C-alpha cells in the first residue's frame, strides 16, 4: 500500500501522565492552545501565569517568578486569579524563538517591552549553550519545588515571518538542538514532544493552517492533542477521558427549552454521573457549566 505522507515517530517517555494531573504550561501561544485543551479535559492547569513567553530566558524568568510568588504579594494575587500555583507534577515548556530583547540602560533581558520605544532595547540571539543553560535552570527550579516533576519540552511549529523564513528556520534549529541536549542531560525527567515536526513534516498542507498561513488550525491542534495523549497518557488517563467526554458533551448541550422538566431531569442525571466520576477519580477538579 502506498503511503502519501510522512509519519513522525514519537518516542514514549519512561513515565506517564495520570488523570487530572497538576500541570504548568509555559511558553509561546502554542502552549496556550494545548494548555486550554488540558483544562477542558479536567487537568489542574496553570497556563502562562505572567503572559506568553517565547524564548528560554523569559520562560526561566516565569518559572522562577512563579516558584517565588508566595513571597511577592502582587504575583501571589495574580496567581490566585489565574490558577493554583502548587507545584506541578508535569510541566510543559514550549519554545518559540531564541531571540531576546535586552534593556540597554540596565542590560537585563526583558520579557515584555510594555509598549516602550524600540530604541530602548537591543535585540539579540541566544546560542545553543545559552538556551540550554536557561532550560536546565528551569528544570532545576521545578525539581527543587517537587523532586518527582516531569517535563515535556517542545518547539512551537509557528514560524516567525518577521525574521524571514530562513531566519525563523535558524532560530528553530537552535531551539531544537538545545531541547535535544536537555533531554540527554535529564533522561529520567525530560521528554521531547515533536510538535514542530508534526506540523511541518506530517501536516505539510495549508489546509492545516489558519488564515494567516502561519498558525496551526484547530484541526491541527486537535491532531497534535491526539498524538500527545496517545504517547504520554497512562491507561488510567485514557479511560478517564472516555468516561469524561460524554459528560462534557452533555454539560455543553444547548437545549431549546432550558426550563423544561425534561431538561432538568437530563441535567440531574448528568450531575449524578459527574459526582460518581468524582468519587472514582479523587483529583477530578469539578466542572464549570457553560
Amino acid at each position: 500500500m502506498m503511503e502519501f505522507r510522512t509519519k513522525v515517530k514519537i518516542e514514549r517517555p519512561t513515565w506517564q501522565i495520570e488523570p487530572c494531573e497538576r500541570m504548568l504550561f509555559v511558553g509561546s501561544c502554542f502552549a496556550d492552545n494545548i494548555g486550554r485543551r488540558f483544562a477542558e479535559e479536567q487537568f489542574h492547569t496553570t497556563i502562562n501565569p505572567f503572559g506568553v513567553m517565547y524564548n528560554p530566558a523569559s520562560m526561566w524568568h516565569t518559572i522562577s517568578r512563579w516558584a517565588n510568588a508566595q513571597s511577592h504579594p502582587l504575583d501571589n494575587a495574580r496567581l490566585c486569579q489565574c490558577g493554583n500555583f502548587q507545584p506541578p507534577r508535569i510541566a510543559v515548556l514550549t519554545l518559540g524563538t531564541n531571540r531576546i530583547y535586552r534593556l540597554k540602560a540596565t542590560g537585563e533581558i526583558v520579557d515584555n517591552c510594555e509598549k516602550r520605544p524600540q530604541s530602548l532595547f537591543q535585540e539579540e540571539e541566544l546560542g545553543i549553550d545559552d538556551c540550554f543553560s536557561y532550560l536546565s535552570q528551569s528544570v532545576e527550579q521545578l525539581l527543587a519545588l517537587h523532586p518527582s516533576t516531569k517535563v515535556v519540552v517542545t518547539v512551537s511549529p509557528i514560524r516567525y515571518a518577521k525574521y524571514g523564513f530562513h531566519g525563523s528556520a535558524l532560530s528553530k534549529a537552535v531551539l531544537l538542538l538545545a531541547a535535544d541536549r536537555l533531554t540527554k542531560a535529564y533522561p529520567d525527567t525530560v521528554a521531547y514532544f515533536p510538535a514542530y515536526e508534526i506540523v511541518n513534516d506530517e501536516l505539510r498542507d495549508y489546509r492545516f493552517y489558519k488564515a494567516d498561513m502561519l498558525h496551526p488550525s484547530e484541526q491541527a491542534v486537535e491532531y497534535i492533542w491526539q498524538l500527545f495523549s496517545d504517547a504520554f497518557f497512562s491507561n488510567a488517563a485514557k479511560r478517564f477521558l472516555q468516561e469524561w467526554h460524554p459528560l462534557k458533551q452533555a454539560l455543553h448541550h444547548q437545549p431549546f427549552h432550558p426550563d423544561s422538566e425534561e431538561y432538568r431531569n437530563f441535567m440531574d442525571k448528568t450531575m449524578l454521573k459527574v459526582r460518581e466520576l468524582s468519587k472514582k477519580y479523587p483529583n477530578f477538579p469539578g466542572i464549570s457549566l457553560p
Side-chain angles (χ1 to χ4, degrees):
M1 180 179 294
M2 299 181 69
E3 182 66 63
F4 290 100
R5 62 173 176 160
T6 55
K7 293 281 289 182
V8 174
K9 182 180 179 180
I10 301 175
E11 298 291 338
R12 296 178 184 273
T14 57
W15 43 268
Q16 295 178 316
I17 297 176
E18 300 297 337
C20 308
E21 293 264 33
R22 291 196 178 278
M23 302 185 70
L24 172 67
F25 294 83
V26 178
S28 68
C29 52
F30 187 72
D32 278 353
N33 292 335
I34 294 297
R36 283 195 296 268
R37 181 57 193 270
F38 272 89
E40 291 174 6
E41 304 301 353
Q42 299 300 294
F43 288 82
H44 298 265
T45 58
T46 300
I47 305 169
N48 279 329
F50 304 111
V52 175
M53 300 293 162
Y54 296 96
N55 65 76
S58 294
M59 293 168 67
W60 174 60
H61 292 164
T62 288
I63 291 171
S64 297
R65 186 178 171 187
W66 175 82
N68 297 289
Q70 289 181 323
S71 59
H72 296 82
L74 292 178
D75 285 350
N76 197 339
R78 180 167 181 174
L79 287 177
C80 287
Q81 293 177 352
C82 73
N84 198 308
F85 53 84
Q86 294 185 25
R89 224 267 308 180
I90 306 292
V92 180
L93 310 181
T94 302
L95 309 173
T97 178
N98 71 328
R99 299 203 179 197
I100 61 168
Y101 288 89
R102 195 181 296 275
L103 186 62
K104 292 179 181 178
T106 64
E108 66 175 325
I109 297 173
V110 298
D111 304 325
N112 191 317
C113 294
E114 299 176 344
K115 298 183 179 180
R116 288 177 288 180
Q118 186 175 357
S119 59
L120 298 177
F121 303 94
Q122 178 177 321
E123 185 176 3
E124 299 177 10
E125 296 182 5
L126 296 176
I128 299 169
D129 291 342
D130 295 322
C131 290
F132 171 74
S133 177
Y134 285 119
L135 289 172
S136 61
Q137 289 180 76
S138 297
V139 172
E140 292 292 344
Q141 180 78 73
L142 291 166
L143 291 174
L145 289 170
H146 198 305
S148 63
T149 295
K150 304 301 180 184
V151 178
V152 180
V153 62
T154 188
V155 174
S156 170
I158 301 169
R159 296 175 297 167
Y160 289 90
K162 68 178 182 178
Y163 300 159
F165 291 121
H166 179 62
S168 178
L170 292 175
S171 176
K172 299 294 185 182
V174 171
L175 297 175
L176 290 166
L177 289 167
D180 183 65
R181 186 184 296 183
L182 190 73
T183 61
K184 292 174 180 176
Y186 299 90
D188 298 323
T189 300
V190 181
Y192 178 72
F193 178 72
Y196 179 82
E197 293 83 352
I198 290 168
V199 172
N200 289 283
D201 294 324
E202 189 169 337
L203 302 182
R204 47 184 177 181
D205 188 303
Y206 280 113
R207 73 179 186 273
F208 296 115
Y209 288 81
K210 291 183 177 180
D212 63 3
M213 297 293 110
L214 295 173
H215 290 74
S217 67
E218 292 183 7
Q219 187 180 30
V221 173
E222 174 64 21
Y223 182 67
I224 292 170
W225 160 263
Q226 291 175 7
L227 294 181
F228 186 100
S229 58
D230 182 62
F232 283 79
F233 283 11
S234 68
N235 289 333
K238 293 174 182 177
R239 285 195 300 271
F240 168 78
L241 292 180
Q242 290 175 349
E243 296 178 66
W244 163 245
H245 282 173
L247 299 179
K248 177 183 174 183
Q249 292 177 349
L251 291 167
H252 285 80
H253 175 65
Q254 298 294 325
F256 288 110
H257 304 289
D259 297 325
S260 67
E261 183 177 354
E262 181 181 6
Y263 181 66
R264 285 196 295 270
N265 290 335
F266 170 78
M267 286 303 298
D268 287 343
K269 291 179 181 178
T270 299
M271 292 307 297
L272 178 60
K273 293 178 181 178
V274 169
R275 288 192 289 272
E276 291 173 350
L277 196 65
S278 299
K279 294 177 182 178
K280 187 173 181 180
Y281 298 95
N283 291 330
F284 183 72
I287 60 168
S288 297
L289 292 175

